[in-house]
């Protein structure tokens, strides 16, 4: 306060040292800009500076991924120690979930559109949570899961894990029902480095990037039975080895074509 010299307000503006503060009067707004070595510039409105601060929920650890139910207005986020369930209309954290307690490691979590279940990977287990009851309804061991996704009108779940060590690495692909967790089928295919498996737009086939007799190949498997349909060697201009392919992409309007994306271009394969 300029008249009394008294401190009237103190705010935590940055989490590291503030290096500069500047007046910024823009039209009717009385603003101040602060710059910090935390690599943020923040703009403050002095007109509302004495109002009560609104608490913003946050997690202790980094948010690794996000899954949304638009019909229920929920966002499910993954941190290493827990699953956070947020109301994305209000920005409030509703509750957190963790099955293994102290030392838990959560790597994946997906919520279905009805927001009735969350499918997660928790400390080497595939776990199904009943969202309303906040309890685990299914758990099965599947270590080192690399990928998790729902299909079949979200009544089925595929978990893909890595097994073995170089040079003998395979991917295990497991299809389970939701919410019962019944295994429908499993299959394995050999890999050098993991690349995400994709499902064709018509949900008929899974396309897997692997190796056949140490040479790069595409493995095609039936979504219905898990059976192998075909093995296609990878050949296109400029292709040298598996490291060239960054990812495989399924086309949304052409179920018989996939994209092999490398550093320079996208390559379409029938």
């Amino acid at each position: 306060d300029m008249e009394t010299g008294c401190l009237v307000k103190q705010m935590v503006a940055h989490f590291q040292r503030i290096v500069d503060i500047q007046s910024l009067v823009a039209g009717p707004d009385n603003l101040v800009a602060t710059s910090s070595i935390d690599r943020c510039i923040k703009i403050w409105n002095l007109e509302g500076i004495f109002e009560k601060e609104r608490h913003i929920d946050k997690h202790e650890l980094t948010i690794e991924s996000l899954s949304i139910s638009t019909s229920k207005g929920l966002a499910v986020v993954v941190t290493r120690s827990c699953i956070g369930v947020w109301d994305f209309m209000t920005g409030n954290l509703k509750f957190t979930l963790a099955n293994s307690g102290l030392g838990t490691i959560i790597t994946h979590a997906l919520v279905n559109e009805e927001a009735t279940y969350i499918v997660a990977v928790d400390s080497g287990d595939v776990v199904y949570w009943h969202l309303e009851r906040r309890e685990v309804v299914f758990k099965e061991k599947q270590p080192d899961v690399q990928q998790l996704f729902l299909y079949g009108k979200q009544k089925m779940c595929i978990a893909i894990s890595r097994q073995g060590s170089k040079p003998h690495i395979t991917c295990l692909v497991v299809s389970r029902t939701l919410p019962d967790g019944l295994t429908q089928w499993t299959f394995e295919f050999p890999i050098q480095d993991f690349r995400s498996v994709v499902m064709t737009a018509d949900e008929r086939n899974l396309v897997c990037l692997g190796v056949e007799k140490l040479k790069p190949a595409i493995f095609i498997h039936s979504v219905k039975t898990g059976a192998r349909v075909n093995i296609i060697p990878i050949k296109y201009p400029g292709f040298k080895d598996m490291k060239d392919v960054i990812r495989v992409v399924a086309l949304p309007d052409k179920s018989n074509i996939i994209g092999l994306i490398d550093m320079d271009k996208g390559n379409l394969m029938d």
Side-chain angles (χ1 to χ4, degrees), residues 67 109-114 117-120 128 147-159 176-178 199 203:
S67 178
L110 299 172
V111 62
N112 63 347
E113 180 57 31
E114 291 79 17
Y117 295 97
I118 291 175
V119 180
Y128 292 176
Q147 187 180 357
L148 193 69
F149 60 89
L150 302 176
Y151 74 101
K153 298 181 180 178
Q154 299 192 324
K155 297 183 184 298
M156 306 291 292
C157 172
I158 285 180
R176 300 179 177 90
T177 59
L178 179 68
M199 182 178 288
E203 295 196 355

Side-chain angles (χ1 to χ4, degrees), residues 68-74 88 112-115:
I68 287 177
S69 164
T70 48
S71 62
K72 300 297 182 181
L74 291 182
F88 66 64
N112 63 347
E113 180 57 31
E114 291 79 17

Side-chain angles (χ1 to χ4, degrees), residues 58 60 72 134 140 143 172 174 193 237 239 259 268:
K58 62 181 180 179
E60 294 180 2
K72 300 297 182 181
R134 303 185 196 179
E140 188 167 81
L172 173 65
V174 183
D193 297 298
F239 177 79
L268 298 181

Side-chain angles (χ1 to χ4, degrees), residues 255-266:
S255 299
N256 64 313
I257 296 178
I258 59 167
L260 301 177
I261 312 303
D262 60 32
M263 292 294 290
D264 300 319
K265 59 190 181 307

Side-chain angles (χ1 to χ4, degrees), residues 58-63 79 81-82:
K58 62 181 180 179
H59 289 287
E60 294 180 2
L61 299 176
T62 303
I63 292 173
T79 76
S81 62
C82 72

Side-chain angles (χ1 to χ4, degrees), residues 90-110:
T90 64
N92 293 326
L93 177 63
K94 296 170 71 70
F95 54 87
T96 61
L97 301 170
N99 183 50
S100 301
L102 189 64
T104 189
I105 300 175
I106 297 171
T107 56
H108 301 76
L110 299 172

